Amino acid sequence: MNPDIMKERQTATFDVERLTNILDGGPEKTKRRREIESLVLSDPDFQDEDPNFLSRSERYDQAVKKSAQMILKIREHGISDPEEIYCYKNCVHPGRPQPLDLHLGMFLPTLLSQATPEQMDRFFMPAWNLQIIGTYAQTEMGHGTHLRGLETTATYDPATQEFVLNTPTISSIKWWPGGLGKTSNHAMVLAQLYTQGNCHGLHAFITPIRDLITHLPLPGIVVGDIGPKFGFSEVDNGYLKLDNVRIPRENMLMKYAKVEPDGTYVKPPSDKLTYGTMVFIRSIIVGHSAEALAKSCTIAIRYSAVRHQSEIRLGEPEPQILDYQTQQHKLFPLLATTYAFNFIAQYMNHTYKCINQDINNGDFSQLPELHALSAGLKAFTSWAANTGIEVCRMACGGHGYSCSSALPGIYVEFTPSCTYEGENTVMMLQTARYLVKSYRQAKAGQQLSGMVSYLNEAEHRVQPQPVAARPTVVNINDLASLVQVYKLRAAMLVELAAKSIQQELQRRRSQEDAWNHSAIDLVRASDAHCHYVVVKVFTDKLGEISDTAIHSVMSTLALLYALHGIAENSGDFLQAGLLSGPQVLQISVRIKELLSLLRPNAVALVDAFDFHDKKLNSILGRYDGNVYEHMFEWARQSPLNTTEVHESFYKYLKPLRSQL
């Protein structure tokens, strides 16, 4: 054990194991998670080559092999709980996407949520047993987040009781679905439904694309891999062209919307039910944001504890770079953000399950808020995590640029989250649509519930005004007071956005143009709403923590998260008259104090995330802190080092000498 990292752990003021239990949801869940992880980490079938030294084809091959082994092992171990399956999968492919992700994460969940009992009998067990391997084919070359613009068509033919699927233009070719290129034999195709001469919008169709025996493309199907990407080297993201592909009427998912044999269309109870799988995935991405940022903070903070650099006092030993205030200012707010995102992920998971249960019972009343909240928080957390991962990489100096640090890999595998399952700006605008609608309802006297209930209170609909116009009573050390100012900021920005639209309409703009000309204000309003929700949930979580020592350090983190957010967005709070100039300066001073308070617990706080070294797969973030020895060992494994003299010397450089 590196003496620096050992010393850091001795300064902790709380029990790391108990905090890990809180993050997992209880001691039993921690115990079970570790049992599942040990099943993978001790299994010789999953001890493979470092993917950094493999070609893309080799990485794909390795990922498919591990995925197939994973399915067999899950059955062998009798793991059936969805959360435990996810835990096992996440350990087999730690932090890296794999070819079966969309089969397990979207194809099967879509069947579960939108298939009829008859369709479940027909499709689910073959899919569960991997006779059917599916993907989720929504995005097209020319359209992604704008779902109404998708061009793929499914036209019902009552004479044969079949749907005829087509991608009629080059831009309508399905593009990007993971596992589509080479792995899947079925696709859940999202297409515009046409029946009896009318278009009824997007619906999902189970579409065979490859022969179950030969795996060759079926007639009318052109399918393949889209080529190398920024990351996702293990995944065969693909394209799919459909030319008059016929499927039975029963292949349209009909739990809610239906097409009768004669072509009569039966509407679903809510049009948002079609997008249920996306809401689920957006909720999952919030958790992915927390995990990616937790890994990055673990690596950067542990490395900062063992890396010594420069001098604070002339002639004295080089200090740990974690002792520099600038390093703390880079990393500790991100650490606070990670904990905030962990707790909001727990909240979203619980909320999704509750509302999904309501939907199964026929109650769709909470679906609009779930849709808006999952869209906004998906964008809010993935943007922050994406930025934070890069800050962590830069905080590790030159070694952060090496793949041995794992930070480049975390970044390239996570950054697509900002665009898939809804491009983030569009997600924020979807949330804004719900916020503006809620604001208008509240103004009309309707009582709102849920996370937008703050719009009920007339005094919360504040006007931008100078500080002198109203007193500031904010206690910057009281989280309840800070939750209140975040709420007021959100209310102000929602009202500003709504009034901006109204002003544009008064200028005789169309509703669509008024919306576009107010889009910047709308995104700001959504961001403020999400920020308020995260601060509130973090603060509420403190009430559930009974351990005094953990409560103390969590309160410090929550306060840092809230104050850092105010410092980063001080203009909003000043504009609303919620803070004075001197208070903003006080916040800056208080943030520095909080950094010092957190310094003794920094390593312990990342230890609580409980990442096994094999799962973290980072030399800079090793638990034992022995960075340099293992970095040298890792570098020697490079394929370029298999020979002392590379063949290119004999082929190109040596002949060059004789020509000069």
Side-chain angles (χ1 to χ4, degrees), residues 525-591:
S526 291
D527 183 84
H529 173 72
C530 293
H531 211 159
Y532 156 67
V533 170
V534 175
V535 171
K536 182 181 187 306
V537 168
F538 199 166
T539 304
D540 290 347
K541 185 69 180 181
L542 297 176
E544 302 173 18
I545 299 173
S546 57
D547 186 296
T548 307
I550 292 176
H551 189 279
S552 175
V553 74
M554 286 296 104
S555 296
T556 304
L557 280 172
L559 192 57
L560 177 59
Y561 180 74
L563 292 180
H564 187 263
I566 291 174
E568 293 290 292
N569 300 278
S570 57
D572 290 347
F573 296 92
L574 289 167
Q575 182 184 12
L578 298 169
L579 292 171
S580 64
Q583 280 181 311
V584 173
L585 293 175
Q586 287 172 15
I587 286 172
S588 179
V589 172
R590 184 64 177 135
I591 286 172

Side-chain angles (χ1 to χ4, degrees), residues 361-466:
N361 294 331
D363 179 2
F364 305 103
S365 60
Q366 301 302 310
L367 187 55
E369 177 164 13
L370 175 63
H371 187 266
L373 193 59
S374 64
L377 286 174
K378 179 266 182 187
F380 183 82
T381 58
S382 62
W383 263 335
N386 193 58
T387 302
I389 295 164
E390 179 65 357
V391 170
C392 288
R393 187 189 69 78
M394 297 283 279
C396 291
H399 292 324
Y401 189 68
S402 169
C403 287
S404 68
S405 73
L407 289 164
I410 294 171
Y411 184 83
V412 299
E413 307 302 358
F414 180 78
T415 194
S417 302
C418 295
T419 46
Y420 65 55
E421 301 315 313
E423 192 277 329
N424 279 357
T425 301
V426 179
M427 291 297 92
M428 283 297 196
L429 289 170
Q430 285 188 13
T431 302
R433 197 172 294 279
Y434 177 76
L435 292 173
V436 170
K437 181 180 178 181
S438 299
Y439 166 81
R440 289 170 177 167
Q441 289 171 337
K443 200 171 181 185
Q446 185 175 328
Q447 282 295 112
L448 304 174
S449 61
M451 282 295 186
V452 292
S453 60
Y454 62 86
L455 295 172
N456 289 324
E457 305 165 49
E459 68 269 24
H460 287 172
R461 293 199 287 272
V462 295
Q463 295 288 336
Q465 53 191 290

Side-chain angles (χ1 to χ4, degrees), residues 200-331:
H200 297 284
L202 280 187
H203 291 73
F205 300 86
I206 303 170
T207 308
I209 58 173
R210 289 179 180 272
D211 186 275
L212 292 181
I213 305 300
T214 66
H215 207 60
L216 290 170
L218 294 170
I221 299 287
V222 179
V223 62
D225 178 81
I226 64 169
K229 293 88 59 180
F230 187 47
F232 276 54
S233 296
E234 287 89 351
V235 180
D236 54 324
N237 295 85
Y239 58 78
L240 174 65
K241 190 174 184 298
L242 301 158
D243 184 11
N244 291 320
V245 174
R246 287 180 171 265
I247 59 172
R249 182 181 68 89
E250 294 79 13
N251 280 33
M252 172 182 155
L253 292 184
M254 294 199 199
K255 184 176 182 178
Y256 300 111
K258 296 179 177 64
V259 172
E260 303 289 2
D262 66 354
T264 302
Y265 178 71
V266 181
K267 285 185 177 181
S270 168
D271 59 354
K272 289 184 171 59
L273 287 167
T274 307
Y275 311 132
T277 305
M278 286 185 297
V279 172
F280 168 69
I281 295 297
R282 288 167 189 167
S283 299
I284 292 292
I285 289 172
V286 176
H288 286 177
S289 300
E291 183 178 27
L293 199 50
K295 286 182 174 180
S296 302
C297 285
T298 299
I299 295 164
I301 287 173
R302 283 180 180 169
Y303 177 62
S304 296
V306 301
R307 176 74 172 186
H308 291 252
Q309 186 81 24
S310 303
E311 296 173 328
I312 292 179
R313 297 178 186 86
L314 192 63
E316 291 190 4
E318 292 181 295
Q320 297 160 279
I321 59 174
L322 199 54
D323 287 336
Y324 288 102
Q325 189 184 70
T326 50
Q327 190 77 345
Q328 295 168 15
H329 192 244
K330 289 173 189 173
L331 298 178

Side-chain angles (χ1 to χ4, degrees), residues 619-634:
I619 287 173
L620 299 192
R622 292 176 59 87
Y623 184 83
D624 63 14
N626 294 322
V627 171
Y628 301 130
E629 306 92 317
H630 290 91
M631 189 181 295
F632 183 58
E633 202 176 287
W634 182 86

Side-chain angles (χ1 to χ4, degrees), residues 1 77 144 148 154 165 218 243 302 335 370 408 423 457 472 486:
M1 185 74 68
H77 297 308
R148 289 193 303 277
L165 274 65
L218 294 170
D243 184 11
R302 283 180 180 169
L335 181 58
L370 175 63
E423 192 277 329
E457 305 165 49
T472 55
Y486 269 94

Side-chain angles (χ1 to χ4, degrees), residues 639-640 642-651:
L640 286 177
T642 53
T643 59
E644 290 296 338
V645 181
H646 193 265
E647 61 181 348
S648 61
F649 172 79
Y650 300 107
K651 288 161 62 178

